[in-house]
Amino acid sequence: MTTKMWSRTNQPAGRNPLTWFFLWCSGVDRNLIDTRVERFRYVGVGVFIVLIASVAGVMFTLFGTVINGGFTPLLLPFAAGWALLVFWADRSIVAEPRYGDLDPGRPGTWRKRLGPHLFQYLFRVAIAVGSALLVTEAALLLMFQPEIRREMDAARIEQVAAVQAVDRHGETRQVAELRSRIEANDEQVADAEERVATAADKMSGEIGGATGTRRPGYGPIAAARERELEQLRKSANATRTRVDKENKALRDQIGTLENGRQSRISASVEAIEQDRGWITQEKALQRFLKANRDSWMVQWIPWVLRVTFLAIDLLPVSLKLFARPTLYDRRLRAQASVVAYRTAQKRQVERDAVDQALDLERIRANTRYDLTREEESFRKSSRLGYLRDDRW
């Protein structure tokens, strides 16, 4: 019974494909995991890493949808890339072994343990903080969407009224000046027609004897009155023709100015109506939060979401920094100690081989030097003996 339980407990880790996948995600060596508890622990770590990467991809899609004003399939590749970046960052953090100082005589300080990976941890914290802030804003925009729409509608009404009231290019002043010129021209025509009517009355009074010389009949004065009336009529007709031409041009200018102003107002109103972007929604959200300062729930929800998203995003780093060493970590340290010892011994053997080679080279050099000196001495002695024999 005991043997059977031991065999089940110490079966190779990751035989199940799903278990193998999550162990691979956690970055552990399956050959060093012998207990079921360790397997459950590191499968859970792998599940957390996959879930955090999935949440990162979903939140990126959510944020892009809010900014874009609607969902588009083009966001999916970027969301998958962001999720893959978060996944590899978290996996590299949890897979980093915690050897510490492998020399038992020199216990490592926290700077030695954390120093080599400080930049990696800070980079992951920066990603988590930025993601938490941006994703929280997107979540708040979705959560308070009805209130944001009301704020946007109220702001839109104010902006449209401001656009319609503001005369940016002076069209109102120019139109007023053109209308004044039209009225002045109409007054000229009215004056000319009034003079014609006065002249006609004078001529009629002269002919009837009611005014003028008071002698009825068509005499010289009546003829003069008639000639004057005819000239005034010609002048009035000329004035009317000129005024009609000028007024037509002035009315065309007024129509152009009013149409241009109305077109600009319509374009501005249309732009305001279609403006539902991220910045506009953020302004509406800030107005809503500012208007509801007395509601503690409205004020606390953004911070609760930020802290929650940040804690979820920093879960792998927290597990790496604050979790106590496990049995797997001890096995990994023992394996690293053996590798370090083997490396140190190999390095010592290589140093000994180098020292022996240098010693042999030194001995060879001394031997060559001694042999050279002996040969030189023998050569000198042989030459001197030969010279003594010739002299004798």
Side-chain angles (χ1 to χ4, degrees), residues 18-226:
L18 191 61
T19 303
W20 178 90
F21 172 73
F22 287 121
L23 287 176
W24 176 81
C25 292
S26 63
V28 297
D29 186 357
R30 292 180 299 153
N31 297 322
L32 297 180
I33 296 179
D34 292 335
T35 63
R36 185 172 297 173
V37 175
E38 286 184 307
R39 196 178 314 151
F40 289 160
R41 173 187 175 87
Y42 288 104
V43 166
V45 172
V47 170
F48 272 125
I49 292 176
V50 173
L51 289 178
I52 291 172
S54 302
V55 170
V58 172
M59 290 301 143
F60 185 93
T61 305
L62 177 64
F63 182 69
T65 301
V66 172
I67 292 179
N68 190 47
F71 175 76
T72 174
L74 295 177
L75 292 173
L76 296 179
F78 296 98
W82 179 253
L84 189 62
L85 174 64
V86 172
F87 172 80
W88 281 111
D90 291 340
R91 186 178 184 274
S92 63
I93 289 174
V94 298
E96 186 68 29
R98 293 189 297 179
Y99 294 144
D101 198 339
L102 295 178
D103 188 357
R106 291 187 303 123
T109 61
W110 68 270
R111 292 184 179 179
K112 292 182 179 179
R113 294 193 303 268
L114 188 61
H117 313 293
L118 183 59
F119 177 77
Q120 183 181 7
Y121 294 156
L122 291 178
F123 175 73
R124 185 63 184 90
V125 170
I127 291 179
V129 171
S131 301
L133 293 176
L134 296 179
V135 170
T136 301
E137 293 302 318
L140 290 174
L141 292 178
L142 289 179
M143 184 180 301
F144 298 114
Q145 192 62 221
E147 292 80 3
I148 290 174
R149 287 180 180 176
R150 287 199 297 268
E151 292 290 338
M152 291 175 63
D153 292 338
R156 190 176 298 112
I157 293 173
E158 295 177 358
Q159 292 175 359
V160 169
V163 167
Q164 292 176 348
V166 171
D167 185 12
R168 296 183 178 179
H169 301 281
E171 287 90 347
T172 303
R173 179 177 54 80
Q174 295 180 16
V175 169
E177 292 178 355
L178 294 176
R179 292 187 186 278
S180 298
R181 290 174 60 182
I182 291 175
E183 291 177 359
N185 290 337
D186 291 338
E187 289 178 358
Q188 293 179 10
V189 173
D191 291 341
E193 290 179 349
E194 186 178 357
R195 287 194 297 269
V196 169
T198 302
D201 292 340
K202 288 181 179 180
M203 188 188 72
S204 298
E206 181 64 31
I207 293 175
T211 58
T213 60
R214 298 186 182 275
R215 294 177 181 178
Y218 186 81
I221 296 177
R225 296 292 183 188
E226 185 178 6

Side-chain angles (χ1 to χ4, degrees), residues 146-317:
E147 292 80 3
I148 290 174
R149 287 180 180 176
R150 287 199 297 268
E151 292 290 338
M152 291 175 63
D153 292 338
R156 190 176 298 112
I157 293 173
E158 295 177 358
Q159 292 175 359
V160 169
V163 167
Q164 292 176 348
V166 171
D167 185 12
R168 296 183 178 179
H169 301 281
E171 287 90 347
T172 303
R173 179 177 54 80
Q174 295 180 16
V175 169
E177 292 178 355
L178 294 176
R179 292 187 186 278
S180 298
R181 290 174 60 182
I182 291 175
E183 291 177 359
N185 290 337
D186 291 338
E187 289 178 358
Q188 293 179 10
V189 173
D191 291 341
E193 290 179 349
E194 186 178 357
R195 287 194 297 269
V196 169
T198 302
D201 292 340
K202 288 181 179 180
M203 188 188 72
S204 298
E206 181 64 31
I207 293 175
T211 58
T213 60
R214 298 186 182 275
R215 294 177 181 178
Y218 186 81
I221 296 177
R225 296 292 183 188
E226 185 178 6
R227 288 192 299 272
E228 181 182 1
L229 177 61
E230 192 64 27
Q231 291 177 357
L232 289 174
R233 283 177 178 173
K234 290 181 180 180
S235 177
N237 290 332
T239 301
R240 186 180 297 108
T241 302
R242 177 180 59 80
V243 167
D244 289 341
K245 185 177 180 181
E246 290 182 1
N247 286 351
K248 183 178 182 302
L250 293 174
R251 290 189 179 93
D252 291 340
Q253 294 182 17
I254 291 174
T256 302
L257 290 174
E258 289 182 345
N259 291 334
R261 182 172 183 270
Q262 189 61 37
S263 299
R264 281 189 291 273
I265 291 175
S266 301
S268 299
V269 171
E270 184 178 0
I272 293 172
E273 293 290 340
Q274 294 179 355
D275 185 11
R276 297 181 178 273
W278 179 44
I279 302 300
T280 304
Q281 296 185 45
E282 278 291 330
K283 292 180 179 179
L285 176 62
Q286 296 304 321
R287 286 196 299 270
F288 168 73
L289 294 176
K290 186 177 181 180
N292 292 271
R293 289 181 177 177
D294 54 343
S295 176
W296 65 269
M297 183 175 293
V298 173
Q299 298 300 322
W300 276 99
I301 283 177
W303 291 105
V304 171
L305 290 177
R306 291 187 184 102
V307 173
T308 302
F309 284 129
L310 185 62
I312 293 175
D313 235 4
L314 291 180
L315 186 60
V317 179

Side-chain angles (χ1 to χ4, degrees), residues 302-340:
W303 291 105
V304 171
L305 290 177
R306 291 187 184 102
V307 173
T308 302
F309 284 129
L310 185 62
I312 293 175
D313 235 4
L314 291 180
L315 186 60
V317 179
S318 302
L319 289 174
K320 194 66 179 179
L321 292 178
F322 303 112
R324 297 177 63 84
T326 62
L327 187 60
Y328 170 78
D329 293 327
R330 294 188 178 92
R331 290 198 187 98
L332 201 62
R333 176 181 172 81
Q335 187 184 56
S337 299
V338 172
V339 173

